[in-house]
Amino acid sequence: MFLTRYPRDQKVLTVSEAAAFFARSTSWVRDEIAGGRLKTLHPAGRRPFLVTEASAKALKRFILERSQAPGKRLPALRLVVDNTK
């Protein structure tokens, strides 16, 4: 796994590592951070966000459970056009 050790013995991921963990882009990870679905640490003097391992695993588990839930599919997107005018 891509885990980096944080000095306080907390496992964290950089944004790039989190993107690889989810097989998504770094902008997707930043959107999840902004939405509050991924928790971060902001160590002093360190500019990049560090995503906590616990929040990454929890979000991955949530995504997996949601995708496997029977009958919980999102409705299909449909285009409705009004040609009466």
Side-chain angles (χ1 to χ4, degrees), residues 12-71:
V12 294
L13 301 152
T14 64
V15 171
S16 298
E17 291 170 339
F21 179 71
F22 286 103
R24 302 283 183 119
S25 67
T26 55
S27 61
W28 182 88
V29 173
R30 287 187 183 95
D31 288 344
E32 296 302 306
I33 291 169
R37 290 172 289 278
L38 285 173
K39 304 297 179 208
T40 59
L41 297 176
H42 305 281
R46 188 130 188 216
R47 176 71 176 112
F49 293 113
L50 296 176
V51 179
T52 63
E53 176 194 22
S55 70
K57 285 184 175 181
L59 180 58
K60 193 163 195 167
R61 186 172 39 253
F62 174 77
I63 291 169
L64 181 65
E65 288 172 0
R66 179 127 188 206
S67 69
Q68 294 177 345

